[in-house]
Each structure stands twice: as structure tokens, then as C-alpha cells.
Amino acid sequence: MTTTKPARVRFAPSPTGFLHLGGARTALYDYLLARQTGGQFILRIEDTDRKRYIPGAEEELMRSLRWLGLEWDEGPDKGGPYGPYRQSERKEIYQKYAQQLVDSGHAYYCFCTPERLAQMRKEQQARGEPPHYDGTCRNIPPEEARRRVEAGEPHVIRFKMPKEGTITVHDLLRGDITVENRTLDDYILVKSDGWALYHLAAMVDDHLMGITHVIRGSEWLPTFPLHAHIYRAFGWEEPIWVHLSVFLKPSGKGKMSKRDAEVFRKGHKSIFIKDLEELGYLPEAVNNWIALMGWSYDDHTEFFTMQDLIEKFSLERLKPSPAAVNFSKLDHFNGLHIRALPEEELARRLVPYFHAAGYPDVTVDDLRPIVPLIQTRITTLDEAPKIAGFFFREDVEPVPEELIAKKLDAAQSVEVARRAREVLAAVPEDAFTPENTEPPMRALVDELGLKAGQVFGIVRVAVTGQRVSPPLFETLAIVGKAKTIERMDKAIKMLEALAKKTQ
RNA sequence: GCCCCCAUCGUCUAGUCUGGCCUAGGACACGGGCCUUUCAAGCCCGCGACAUGGGUUCAAAUCCCAUUGGGGGCACCA
């Protein structure tokens, strides 16, 4: 861990949807840097566009962040010394700074109508030119512009981009990037409704909030020079800029689309954090997984707890190239973290999944003995009720054919089932443990000259209703003698019926 | 179309800055084996990559150039 100055970093989502993988990774890196340096992690809501605002999205964003364990130090719900932390509450601040830019000649009023602009763009494209503002209002004398503004004429404020020269900006991962100013546009800073756009609002906020590292997606790379221009126009010291690569779809071909996201959701996958929780993923696993998409510690360490990440994360080891999302790796990490959980903790976390799966009365106490049996057998928490739900059902419904042992017929299986029932019935009810049930059952296997799997398989299907289950004798101990015998009897009846039918 | 970014196994990556230790390491997935009452877990083995072409150099995955490929952006969205 390198000792550096405390970092002030911010995660600044706009409330237009759910937290997804890309946002979560950005937030995670923000959080790690803040915690590692003893700095602050700030949550700022970028909600200046009222048209795109989705009610409830802000709360949902916060919920996902908290689920991941990324608690912020300053934010809209908890305040802080640099608030407010919602851009919709900072309108006057942006107007003041926009005015400052106009006064210093770095910005100007533009009275062009959206219709004219659209027409202009159309013509430019027809001519094969890249769309850009043509500068019509750039040279309106300040006094005249002011008069028109005061007369109530609709207007926006644009950045007065230099027509010549170049600007060199510095990204931590990519080094210096030099672009020609003429390829940049006179971007709009303040809309005609008086609201600042991202380009102005985020820069003002980042400066005012003392942000030391701006970590954001690489979709901001094209406007990065504009942002640097704004900082320099104000005469402010720039933060360290870090542009993270985007996530590609698993095939590596292109960015995730809305359509892709829907398809994933059908296949027990999702790019949305709130879905991942529902699908049975651990926040530990999700963090571990996304941390490693674009960052690495060394050539072999892959398992990281949050504490590990806080200690070992470093901006220097970030990678600038895009990364394809690999869901099977998430499954792998989830399995790893499930196995790393103390049994008591796993039991606690499993409770809601049993409730959701239709076992509303299951408690931690019920789950405690079962956890050791399934801990290595599930990769997501929602699999637990599927594999161990039979423990909580009054009755099980085996598929009759599955009761027939391998290489035996129905009649022979009935016989084996009857003998197994006898053996189990002979074990005392209050000592129905693996130590007492397994040896006599093994003796039976020898006596019958069969394979263990043949005999145990019948009992397994009879008692659990499944071909695949946790280890048999531990399972029987939890199910108890009474239910075991009851289910054996039922299985024997089913087998008898089958035997009669095939005669 | 214009601008910007990126480039090692199918995928995530180590190695690139500071050329030689790289007949390129790890992980996921995949194939096989061991263990085994089912299924997992665990262990072992295998498969598999420096995009291409030019340079520079005694030596290039590593440096330079070009090409190709991929990604992103070009809104009174963020």
C-alpha cells in the first residue's frame, strides 16, 4: 500500500436507471481509493435533466451501492460540508460560474433555435461534414447579447472554443492526449431552461467539492479536452483524470445493449446489481469479480475480500483496454466466496432465499445443520432451496421410475427398498445418526452383492425426491427416522405398482 | 463521414514503462483423470495467445512506423 494524500473521490450517477456493472466498478474503485488513502467517498446525484429523471431511481441506486458495501461519506441523504449533493439543488451555483465564464470571454450567449440547429446539422451531414456549431452567435457584441437576454429572448450559453492550436490533457492510464481545438465544438454549457449541462455542472462541482481524482467511464474521453478547457478557463487546478475502459458483451463484440440485458436476465445473468442480489450472488463475489475487470494485483492472486482490495488496489495497475464481461467467472467467484463464509453467516444469508422460494417458515436455526451439507454444492444462494427444499416439505413426490436402481428392474428394486427400510427401522429413533445408519446399510449392500450406489440411490430418491442430493446419511439424520420410514413406505408402494405394471 | 482510445490463449489477465530471467505465467471455461453413495468441492493432467507487415538492436511480446481489427464519441443526455 502506497502512502499518499487522502483522496476525495466521487461517484456521480444520474437517476435514470438501475446501477449496472460499469457504474458499480467505478464506484468500487472510488470507494477503494478513498478508504485506502483515508480520504472521502462522495455520492453526488446528477439530476439536472428533468426529462430523463426516473422517480425512485436515486433510492434504488443507493440501495445497490449499500448492498455492495460501498458506503459513502458525503451524499444527498447524509449531507456533508460541500453540499448540496444533488445537482438539481445547485442551479444558482452553476449560473454564477457560467456568468463568470461569459464575463471573462470564455463563453457566450447563443440565441439560435433548436430548429435552426437541427437544420444546420442536416446540411452539414449532407455535405459530409462532422456536425458542429457554426458560430453564428459567437461574435455578437456583449452589450447586444446582454440586452437580448434581459429582453427575455431564449438563449443558451456556449463555451467559446479556441479556433486554433491544440490542447494536451493527461489521463492517468493513457498518458498525454493531444487534440486540435478546431476538432472541438462550442459546446452548450447552460440550456435555455437555465439548467447547466454535465460539462459545466460536473466541473464546477468537482472543483468546489475538492475532488482529487475523477474516475469515470471512457465515454468521456472525447469531451475530456473540453473539460480541461473549462478547468483552465476558471484557472483551477485539475484533478487526476482516470478514464476506465468500457465493458463489452461476453462475446467481446460491442457494448451491452438494452436488448442484451434482457436476454441475460432470462439466463440467470444480469448486468444490474439489484438483479444479482436476487439471483443469489454475494456482494463479496460481485466486488471481487468487477474489481478484476480492468485491474489486477499480480500474476496469480484472484481471491480478494473487501479488506484485501482496500489494501492492494492501485490506480497504476488499471488497464485501458475494454473488457468483455465473463459471467462464468462470476459464478466461480461466488462459489469461492460462499465456501469462504462461516457456516453461521451462510445460514443467515440463505434465509430470505428459502422464503422467496416458498418456504416462509424457515429460520436460521433450521438452516444451521443443513449448511455444511450444501456449502460446497451451490454456486448461487438461490440454488439452496432447489437442492435442500425437501427438508422442509411434509412430503416428497419422487418420479417413480427414478426409484429403480441402476441395472435392476422394478421388482428387484422393491426388494432392495424393503430390506433398506428394515435396516433403517432397526436404528433407534433418538440415535438416527450417520454413525448408526451407515454401517448397517453398507452391510446390507455387501449382503445383497450390489454396489453402494444402487442401494443408496433408491433411498436417496425415496427420501429426498431427487436423484441429486446432499450426502445421504447426514440427510437422513436431519430428516429424522419417522419421515424417513414414511417416505420409504411410500416409495415401496410406488415401486410395487411399477413392478406390477411391467409384469 | 470526422475525432479519440485500445490491441497477449475463446474470456479476464501477468509480462510492455526500465528490450535478454518468456521454448510467454495465472485464472475462468472446455477435455481427461483421481477421490467418491448422487451431485458438488478438492487435487492432478491436457488444450490454448504475443493481430499483420516493416524497421531499430547482438537480442523485441516488450521500442518506432504503417496497416488491419475492435471500442467509444460527434444532443439544449449523462
Side-chain angles (χ1 to χ4, degrees):
Chain A
M1 171 172 159
T2 50
T3 39
T4 42
K5 282 186 295 191
R8 278 182 65 79
V9 285
R10 107 271 118 130
F11 178 56
S14 57
T16 53
F18 299 116
L19 183 66
H20 54 76
L21 259 24
R25 182 186 58 169
T26 304
L28 174 63
Y29 290 163
D30 281 329
Y31 176 84
L32 295 176
L33 190 63
R35 289 292 165 272
Q36 180 179 83
T37 60
Q40 290 80 39
F41 173 46
I42 295 141
L43 177 64
R44 186 174 73 219
I45 302 297
E46 313 223 320
D47 57 349
T48 54
D49 186 6
R50 290 169 297 173
K51 284 194 291 292
R52 295 210 317 159
Y53 181 81
I54 294 177
E58 183 181 318
E59 290 69 26
E60 197 60 41
L61 243 15
M62 291 193 199
R63 220 187 68 76
S64 287
L65 245 20
R66 287 205 164 99
W67 180 75
L68 286 169
L70 309 178
E71 186 67 45
W72 47 98
D73 304 299
E74 300 168 28
D77 60 331
K78 58 206 308 180
Y82 299 88
Y85 294 92
R86 217 176 262 119
Q87 291 190 329
S88 57
E89 296 164 20
R90 299 172 66 83
K91 191 174 183 180
E92 301 73 28
I93 299 174
Y94 308 132
Q95 285 175 332
K96 178 187 147 202
Y97 282 94
Q99 187 57 244
Q100 191 178 315
L101 248 24
V102 171
D103 293 344
S104 65
H106 290 288
Y108 62 93
Y109 293 109
C110 170
F111 304 93
C112 297
T113 63
E115 295 71 37
R116 194 190 90 73
L117 260 20
Q119 178 62 27
M120 174 196 77
R121 265 193 294 273
K122 220 165 102 187
E123 285 166 14
Q124 286 167 339
Q125 277 174 348
R127 271 177 275 144
E129 287 174 27
H132 64 282
Y133 182 60
D134 62 5
T136 301
C137 298
R138 211 175 140 107
N139 297 314
I140 295 176
E143 314 76 49
E144 182 193 333
R146 173 155 301 279
R147 211 170 50 238
R148 290 169 69 175
V149 166
E150 277 163 11
E153 188 172 340
H155 62 277
V156 300
I157 297 177
R158 287 181 181 273
F159 189 77
K160 197 168 194 172
M161 188 61 68
K163 287 284 179 208
E164 315 207 316
T166 62
I167 180 169
T168 298
V169 292
H170 189 84
D171 172 73
L172 191 69
L173 309 188
R174 289 158 252 262
D176 285 344
I177 299 169
T178 301
V179 298
E180 303 201 39
N181 289 328
R182 61 175 171 78
T183 65
L184 269 14
D185 208 349
D186 281 4
Y187 296 91
I188 292 174
L189 264 21
V190 178
K191 296 184 276 184
S192 54
D193 61 9
W195 284 99
L197 250 18
Y198 174 91
H199 302 126
L200 205 231
M203 299 312 115
V204 168
D205 288 345
D206 286 343
H207 173 255
L208 257 29
M209 294 181 181
I211 300 303
T212 58
H213 300 71
V214 170
I215 303 176
R216 45 157 32 174
S218 65
E219 65 269 24
W220 293 113
L221 236 24
T223 43
F224 179 19
L226 192 232
H227 300 150
H229 262 124
I230 292 173
Y231 256 87
R232 294 173 196 183
F234 279 119
W236 296 336
E237 188 190 342
E238 287 176 61
I240 292 169
W241 304 94
V242 183
H243 293 91
L244 265 21
S245 61
V246 293
F247 285 159
L248 272 25
K249 40 184 147 182
S251 61
K253 303 281 176 206
K255 208 166 79 160
M256 301 270 186
S257 67
K258 213 165 187 174
R259 166 96 190 112
D260 294 322
E262 284 161 16
V263 172
F264 289 141
R265 191 60 242 252
K266 291 195 181 104
H268 202 93
K269 299 174 207 163
S270 181
I271 59 168
F272 296 110
I273 301 303
K274 62 135 179 116
D275 289 340
L276 261 18
E277 172 180 12
E278 197 180 309
L279 292 171
Y281 290 98
L282 260 33
E284 290 94 327
V286 175
N287 283 324
N288 196 156
W289 179 51
I290 57 181
L292 256 19
M293 298 181 67
W295 174 83
S296 65
Y297 176 63
D298 58 20
D299 63 346
H300 65 281
T301 313
E302 296 224 306
F303 182 89
F304 294 93
T305 62
M306 186 63 98
Q307 212 23 256
D308 293 334
L309 289 173
I310 291 172
E311 285 164 22
K312 293 170 172 156
F313 178 72
S314 65
L315 293 171
E316 287 69 32
R317 293 193 62 87
L318 249 21
K319 216 177 137 88
S321 47
V325 168
N326 184 351
F327 285 106
S328 61
K329 196 124 188 178
L330 169 60
D331 283 339
H332 169 250
F333 279 123
N334 212 51
L336 245 37
H337 279 93
I338 282 178
R339 276 166 253 141
L341 242 34
E343 290 177 359
E344 177 70 21
E345 174 66 12
L346 215 208
R348 206 179 59 71
R349 295 207 205 183
L350 246 19
V351 173
Y353 292 89
F354 275 89
H355 291 177
Y359 304 97
D361 302 323
V362 171
T363 66
V364 188
D365 292 335
D366 296 329
L367 256 19
R368 204 169 284 123
I370 291 166
V371 159
L373 270 44
I374 62 172
Q375 190 158 24
T376 61
R377 272 168 256 266
I378 53 173
T379 58
T380 50
L381 298 181
D382 70 331
E383 284 171 4
K386 289 173 198 147
I387 183 178
F390 67 87
F391 281 114
F392 306 104
R393 281 198 289 270
E394 251 342 283
D395 212 358
V396 293
E397 295 296 331
V399 175
E401 286 72 21
E402 292 186 349
L403 286 161
I404 299 171
K406 215 178 269 177
K407 290 182 183 155
L408 298 184
D409 60 23
Q412 292 169 308
S413 296
V414 181
E415 209 35 51
V416 176
R418 285 194 188 119
R419 294 296 306 276
R421 185 218 184 266
E422 264 173 51
V423 168
L424 292 169
V427 180
E429 174 136 33
D430 57 357
F432 207 65
T433 62
E435 297 74 52
N436 295 327
T437 50
E438 184 166 358
M441 283 293 284
R442 292 226 178 248
L444 175 67
V445 168
D446 289 343
E447 188 198 322
L448 295 175
L450 295 170
K451 296 268 196 228
Q454 293 175 289
V455 180
F456 296 179
I458 295 176
V459 180
R460 180 188 314 285
V461 175
V463 177
T464 69
Q466 306 165 180
R467 266 188 167 141
V468 172
S469 85
L472 185 60
F473 298 101
E474 286 80 355
T475 297
L476 296 185
I478 295 169
V479 170
K481 182 174 173 180
K483 267 195 191 172
T484 297
I485 299 301
E486 192 182 298
R487 291 178 185 183
M488 284 302 293
D489 286 339
K490 180 177 173 184
I492 289 165
K493 283 206 186 79
M494 294 176 99
L495 277 169
E496 284 169 347
L498 261 187
K500 200 177 284 174
K501 204 162 63 183
T502 48
Q503 252 172 12

